[in-house]
Amino acid sequence: MLAAFGHVLPLAVAMAFSSVPIMAAILILLSPDRRRAAIPFLAGFVLGLVLVVSVCALVAQSIPEPPARHPDVVVAVAEIVVGAALVLVGVLAWRRSRRSGPSAEPAWMQKIGSLGPIAAFGVAFVLGLRPKALLLAIAVGLAVRGAGLTIEESAVVIVAYSVVAASSVAVPIIVTLASPRRMEPRLVRARAWISGNSGVVTALIALLIGVVIVGAGLARF
């Protein structure tokens, strides 16, 4: 199971540094209705993470086991494809950031501070279906399948991934609700920094994690 943790931890960190859910959480926390929407947003985000990665792990379990002493070719090829897709995401994000400079907040994100609890929950849940999040979830499922874990061990790995991946959203929400006056200036600075650097950060993380996943796939041969 430790090998599976080693594969999954970088993926969880990559998800934790995803700028879209972090920015959405910050905008909610800076809004007057943060106490109504912040916790539903966190719940929707965590539930979305757990559900998507669980489905990916279940689908990956349907991949046939290789014969004894043979490489796990299907899992290896799948990891190489997923890693290459993440590298492509990184390249596109890098080119977009170089071309357009600091990214403007999309229209839907500008309105997120006015969402009610149900809408905030739904938006957070859908964030787990973005291409980058899906690719990372697929990679987690393949890592769980490749490690040959039991159901209980797989559940532990999935929970660990979800905890780390959601930490960048959970910690600001919990701390801000506990001490809003202290956190507001930090949230404003974080919002400005993410607006100016999210494209580059996304590109670098996607490139690095993509290369790591491709390497893990090649290592299975």
Side-chain angles (χ1 to χ4, degrees):
M1 189 166 67
L2 289 178
F5 276 120
H7 280 94
V8 167
L9 182 58
L11 306 177
V13 172
M15 186 64 195
F17 277 93
S18 185
S19 60
V20 175
I22 296 174
M23 180 63 89
I26 288 173
L27 292 175
I28 288 175
L29 291 172
L30 289 173
S31 72
D33 294 331
R34 60 181 165 227
R35 292 197 175 275
R36 294 178 60 242
I39 295 301
F41 181 87
L42 176 59
F45 186 62
V46 172
L47 181 60
L49 280 176
V50 173
L51 183 60
V52 171
V53 76
S54 297
V55 170
C56 290
L58 287 173
V59 172
Q61 293 300 320
S62 65
I63 299 175
E65 292 281 350
R69 300 180 183 177
H70 285 70
D72 207 341
V73 176
V74 177
V75 172
V77 171
E79 286 184 328
I80 292 170
V81 170
V82 171
L86 277 169
V87 169
L88 178 60
V89 169
V91 170
L92 294 175
W94 178 265
R95 292 182 62 184
R96 188 164 55 247
S97 68
R98 298 288 291 180
R99 184 170 59 247
S100 60
S103 56
E105 295 168 3
W108 69 267
M109 193 174 286
Q110 294 173 5
K111 299 176 181 177
I112 198 168
S114 61
L115 296 180
I118 297 176
F121 178 94
V123 168
F125 185 88
V126 171
L127 289 178
L129 303 177
R130 292 173 301 117
K132 178 185 172 183
L134 284 175
L135 288 171
L136 290 172
I138 292 169
V140 173
L142 292 170
V144 169
R145 159 63 182 76
L149 303 180
T150 65
I151 294 177
E152 292 80 9
E153 290 171 337
S154 299
V156 171
V157 172
I158 289 171
V159 169
Y161 168 82
S162 302
V163 168
V164 175
S167 61
S168 58
V169 172
V171 171
I173 288 177
I174 294 170
V175 175
T176 300
L177 292 180
S179 182
R181 290 181 179 272
R182 183 179 179 183
M183 282 298 296
E184 280 184 9
R186 293 179 171 86
L187 294 174
V188 171
R189 290 194 296 269
R191 177 183 179 178
W193 190 91
I194 293 172
S195 295
N197 299 278
S198 62
V200 174
V201 173
T202 297
L204 291 176
I205 291 176
L207 284 168
L208 290 173
I209 297 300
V211 170
V212 168
I213 296 172
V214 169
L218 292 173
R220 295 189 188 278
F221 286 103

